[in-house]
């Protein structure tokens, strides 16, 4: 069973996204449980302060350690230990291989149905901490031994989008989430794309604005279709992402 606990200052936005599409279905089916917590609720002062000015000076504000640490402790008292991850652009880059690793850990845990309670402390519980402002007080991450993950080399105003990217990338790999389990295998970066990019897709009509669907896809010859798609996938990967070909065929 997969439990994602998400710590954020914008719980409504996170909840709204978790309700739709593949994630909404996964939650409704009990494949994924989400626990969205506003760490402002753990601030102790009258103004519900969560940030303060940086020691040493400089622009922006820093997230105070106490509300974060107390929120995590509260979550773990109620839902058991989690793998703790802080969303930050200076983290380890998240990729499809990592998503597969998280999904495998969640699958290894015995599946439960919606009417069974969560098994506290299962390795399939993941906590995602979303920051705002200039970042976290380093000691919050140190005290709780957080891992750090980034979703790419650009800077977002907060960790919420990054956390949702990670939850969605993992959840869609869990059995029962997608209508057809082959969908996940046949994506970009998946096994059938040889770790490269996906091939192009076509549906009806056969002719759209004068452009025809490639003949091979109408041939019914599955071996030829397979070869054509593989070829397209390789061509696209070489053109757009040569770094992915390098990773696969280091000498090529
Ligand atoms: Cl995880 N957080 C923020 N704020 N920006 C990012 C990111 C994370 N990953 C890439 N950019």
């Amino acid at each position: 069973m997969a439990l994602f606990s998400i710590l954020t200052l914008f719980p409504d936005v996170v909840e709204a996204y978790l309700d739709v599409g593949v994630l909404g279905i996964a939650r409704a089916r009990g494949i994924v449980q989400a626990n969205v917590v506003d760490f402002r609720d753990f601030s102790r002062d009258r103004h519900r302060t969560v940030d303060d000015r940086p020691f040493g000076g400089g622009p922006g504000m820093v997230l105070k350690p106490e509300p974060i640490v107390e929120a995590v402790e509260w979550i773990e008292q109620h839902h058991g230990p989690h793998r703790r991850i802080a969303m930050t652009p200076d983290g380890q880059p998240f990729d499809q291989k990592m998503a597969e690793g998280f999904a495998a850990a969640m699958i290894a845990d015995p599946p439960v149905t919606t009417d069974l309670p969560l098994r506290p402390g299962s390795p399939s519980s993941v906590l995602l901490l979303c920051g705002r402002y200039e970042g976290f007080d380093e000691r919050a991450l140190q005290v709780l031994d957080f891992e750090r993950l980034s979703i790419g080399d650009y800077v977002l105003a907060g960790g919420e989008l990054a956390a949702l990217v990670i939850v969605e990338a993992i959840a869609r790999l869990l059995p029962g989430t997608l209508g057809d389990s082959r969908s996940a295998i046949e994506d970009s970066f998946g096994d059938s794309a040889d770790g490269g990019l996906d091939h192009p897709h076509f549906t009806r009509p056969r002719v759209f604005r004068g452009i025809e669907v490639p003949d091979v896809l109408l041939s019914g010859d599955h071996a030829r279709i397979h070869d054509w798609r593989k070829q397209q996938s390789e061509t696209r990967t070489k053109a757009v992402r040569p770094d992915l070909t390098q990773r696969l065929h280091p000498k090529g």
Side-chain angles (χ1 to χ4, degrees):
M1 176 49 159
L3 171 65
F4 293 98
S5 291
I6 302 173
L7 268 84
T8 172
L9 296 175
F10 298 95
D12 296 351
V13 178
V14 171
E15 280 283 6
Y17 189 78
L18 292 173
D19 265 348
V20 299
V22 155
L23 281 171
I25 290 168
R27 286 179 85 185
R29 289 183 181 161
I31 296 162
V32 164
Q33 287 199 20
N35 174 28
V36 182
V37 174
D38 184 350
F39 61 88
R40 193 180 293 280
D41 292 342
F42 292 81
S43 171
R44 294 286 181 92
D45 73 287
R46 211 153 43 88
H47 301 104
R48 294 171 40 91
T49 311
V50 289
D51 60 337
D52 204 341
R53 289 153 60 211
F55 277 121
M61 299 290 271
V62 175
L63 287 166
K64 293 162 66 61
E66 306 95 319
I68 290 170
V69 169
E70 285 171 29
V72 173
E73 286 171 349
W74 182 88
I75 288 169
E76 295 198 345
Q77 274 159 24
H78 289 81
H79 299 282
H82 289 56
R83 185 166 168 186
R84 304 172 188 139
I85 296 164
M87 304 314 308
T88 166
D90 58 17
Q92 215 187 319
F94 180 76
D95 65 10
Q96 190 66 19
K97 273 274 165 292
M98 280 175 113
E100 286 166 9
F102 278 101
M106 290 172 162
I107 292 164
D109 225 32
V112 291
T113 59
T114 31
D115 39 37
L116 285 174
L118 287 173
R119 292 190 328 112
S122 78
S124 55
S125 299
V126 173
L127 185 147
L128 300 166
L129 171 62
C130 306
R132 285 270 150 181
Y133 317 115
E134 288 304 302
F136 311 102
D137 183 302
E138 190 62 24
R139 295 165 297 178
L141 307 193
Q142 191 186 329
V143 160
L144 294 172
D145 199 24
F146 268 92
E147 298 168 59
R148 300 165 193 250
L149 285 185
S150 161
I151 60 160
D153 294 341
Y154 39 80
V155 179
L156 302 170
E160 284 76 16
L161 290 172
L164 289 168
V165 162
I166 287 175
V167 172
E168 184 164 298
I170 297 168
R172 62 188 293 291
L173 298 175
L174 301 174
T177 299
L178 297 183
D180 184 336
S181 61
R182 286 173 308 175
S183 297
I185 299 165
E186 300 192 356
D187 286 317
S188 286
F189 318 111
D191 286 344
S192 84
D194 223 3
L197 303 182
D198 199 5
H199 56 77
H201 301 264
F202 297 89
T203 185
R204 291 186 294 183
R206 272 180 68 163
V207 184
F208 173 70
R209 306 247 171 138
I211 308 170
E212 288 185 27
V213 171
D215 273 344
V216 56
L217 298 178
L218 311 172
S219 68
D221 183 339
H222 294 290
R224 267 185 68 216
I225 292 170
H226 177 84
D227 288 348
W228 181 85
R229 286 178 168 166
K230 197 169 143 85
Q231 181 60 54
Q232 291 285 317
S233 162
E234 283 175 15
T235 305
R236 283 191 164 189
T237 306
K238 268 185 208 145
V240 181
R241 292 293 304 276
D243 57 307
L244 295 177
T245 356
Q246 286 301 311
R247 217 191 291 174
L248 282 166
H249 314 290
K251 288 188 188 114

